[in-house]
Each structure stands twice: as C-alpha cells, then as structure tokens.
Amino acid sequence: MRSKKWGLVLLGVTVLLALALAGCGGKESQPKQESGGKTEQAASQQPEAPKEFKYASSDMMPGGCNSCHQGDFSLTNEIQKLNKEKNHPLVPAESVQVCQACHAQGTPIALPAVVHKAHLVGADNKFATNFDGNCVYCHTMASSGKMVVNGMVPEGVELVAVKSANADTAPEGCTSCHQKYAEDKDYTLMAETKAMNEKNGHPVVPAQDVKQCVTCHQADGAIPFDTVVHKAHLTGQDNKFVSNYGGSCRQCHNVGEKGEITTKGL
C-alpha cells in the first residue's frame, strides 16, 4: 500500500515536470523591444566578397580594338560582314579612329553606344563569353582619373594600369556597398565625407545618395565626379573595392539594350 502511494506521488511529479518543460519550450523567442515599442532591427549585413575573381588588367590590350581584331576578325573584315548583313558602307578601316568619322558623339550612331551594344549586349555575345565582358580590355585610366580608350589615348596623357573583374553584386550602386554594418564599420556616404573632412578638409555633406555628390562634382567642373570616384576605387596597393568587389565597372554602371552606359543611382 505504501509503495503504491509513493508510485502515485512520483507519477504526479513527473506529469507536473513535463507540463512545466512544455510551457517553457513552447514559447517562441520574441524580437527584442526598444523602449519606444519598436522592434530592434539587425544591422545591415556586409556582403561577402567572392573567394576568387577573374581579373584582367588595362595594359593587357594596349592596342585597343586592334589587339583583338586581327586576321579574320580585322576591322576591315568585320565591316565587310556588316555590309552583307546590314548594308554598312564598305570602309577600309585600319583603326577605330576611322570609325569615328561617321560614328561621332551626339549622333544616333555614336561610337561608344554602337561598340558597347556589340560587345556587351545579347545572350550569345562572343566578347562576353570569350573575354568575360571585361571593360578594361578596351579601357584604361588616365592619371587624372578619366577613363580613356586603349589605342585612342591623346598624346601626352599619362596612363595608370588598373585591374578589374566582371562582377555585379551592387544593384543600387554606391548605396549597396556604402552602408553601416557595425559601429566601427560605417561606410555610409555621410560617414565617408566626415572621414575626408578630417583627412583633407572635404566639406561635411549630409549625403544620403550619390545625387548629392554630383551637385558639386559636376562633369564640366574642376573636380568631376567620375575622375574622383575612379581614382578612389581603382588605384592604390590596398584598394578594398578592387579586392572585395573585383574593381568591377558593373558594380557602379548599367548597360542598356542600346549600348548606353549609365551610373546606378543617377
């Protein structure tokens, strides 16, 4: 009889313990609440850099177009093909400078858009598949930060070799990368201008996006935006944009269906 009572007591304790454990385990962890009642948001996660980039350097094709367009693919032969396919005038083009005579800037058939469309647009694009669609096979950088075309560099312009991979992990451009990831990792544009103010006296600008930068860094001004950004992102021994984001033009630029190149965020 006594053992039976102890058995009932033990059974009751076991049931109570099971209910207590079920009550604790059944509650889902709730988001941490701030004093104002708002749910605390996790800090932005810094995108992981790909483990390996396929880099090319702007000094690999110093002749520009003619470095690739040789033999069966010479510019003259390419124009003959275009004549048969699209009735392009038969022009004995020995270099791309000849093309500029008709494909002038400001015309519907401006050379940059024509070349970009031919080399970067389309599912079966040979330049994209054979040369990874990498911009630095055709372009290099002047010491001023201006991007120029290999084989068409004005006399006396000093060049700086830059390396780049073809990667596109920044859909919004500048603000995709320039974020605050932690208290000691604030790369927002506002934080960057504060750092530049301390370093070289740059005005402290409450810049939320790149549009505010171009109000001062105008294309025809003394410090054009493109030259400033190119030098900051493509030069230097320990350049984080090159090592973490491949130094890729596609991180900042889009290519339209007609070959037009635009800057993300502008």
Side-chain angles (χ1 to χ4, degrees), residues 1-255:
M1 185 71 178
R2 188 174 180 180
S3 61
K4 187 175 181 180
K5 287 182 178 179
W6 279 111
L8 290 172
V9 171
L10 183 60
L11 178 62
V13 171
T14 303
V15 171
L16 289 173
L17 182 60
L19 289 172
L21 290 173
C24 293
K27 293 181 180 179
E28 295 182 1
S29 59
Q30 298 296 320
K32 185 178 179 181
Q33 299 290 320
E34 294 180 347
S35 57
K38 296 180 180 179
T39 302
E40 184 178 353
Q41 299 294 326
S44 299
Q45 292 186 350
Q46 189 169 5
E48 292 185 6
K51 294 181 179 179
E52 186 175 340
F53 285 114
K54 183 181 178 182
Y55 287 101
S57 177
S58 61
D59 57 3
M60 293 173 68
M61 302 287 186
C65 300
N66 287 344
S67 291
C68 296
H69 286 281
Q70 299 181 17
D72 292 340
F73 303 103
S74 68
L75 294 178
T76 298
N77 285 345
E78 292 287 356
I79 287 175
Q80 289 177 351
K81 295 175 188 176
L82 288 172
N83 174 262
K84 294 177 181 178
E85 296 172 3
K86 300 181 180 181
N87 201 32
H88 187 286
L90 286 172
V91 182
E94 298 298 330
S95 67
V96 71
Q97 282 86 343
V98 176
C99 305
Q100 281 188 306
C102 296
H103 294 279
Q105 287 283 24
T107 67
I109 52 171
L111 188 62
V114 171
V115 173
H116 290 149
K117 182 178 180 180
H119 289 73
L120 298 173
V121 179
D124 188 30
N125 192 293
K126 299 303 182 185
F127 181 75
T129 54
N130 296 340
F131 295 93
D132 205 32
N134 199 317
C135 303
V136 297
Y137 282 121
C138 303
H139 296 276
T140 189
M141 193 176 78
S143 58
S144 64
K146 192 75 176 177
M147 299 305 293
V148 293
V149 180
N150 272 325
M152 298 178 65
V153 180
E155 187 176 351
V157 172
E158 182 183 355
L159 299 179
V160 177
V162 294
K163 69 176 186 178
S164 173
N166 189 5
D168 186 358
T169 59
E172 303 300 324
C174 299
T175 53
S176 288
C177 302
H178 285 279
Q179 299 184 30
K180 183 176 181 178
Y181 303 104
E183 287 301 322
D184 60 340
K185 292 185 178 181
D186 188 352
Y187 305 116
T188 58
L189 296 177
M190 188 180 297
E192 295 285 10
T193 59
K194 287 181 180 178
M196 287 189 287
N197 173 265
E198 296 173 1
K199 184 178 181 180
N200 55 31
H202 187 287
V204 178
V205 182
Q208 299 297 326
D209 57 51
V210 71
K211 291 178 181 177
Q212 289 168 284
C213 302
V214 297
T215 57
C216 293
H217 294 282
Q218 297 179 4
D220 57 353
I223 43 176
F225 184 65
D226 60 341
T227 61
V228 172
V229 173
H230 290 151
K231 290 179 74 173
H233 289 73
L234 296 174
T235 62
Q237 292 295 322
D238 187 30
N239 192 294
K240 299 302 182 185
F241 181 73
V242 174
S243 58
N244 294 343
Y245 298 95
S248 175
C249 305
R250 295 292 186 98
Q251 304 285 24
C252 306
H253 296 282
N254 282 322
V255 183

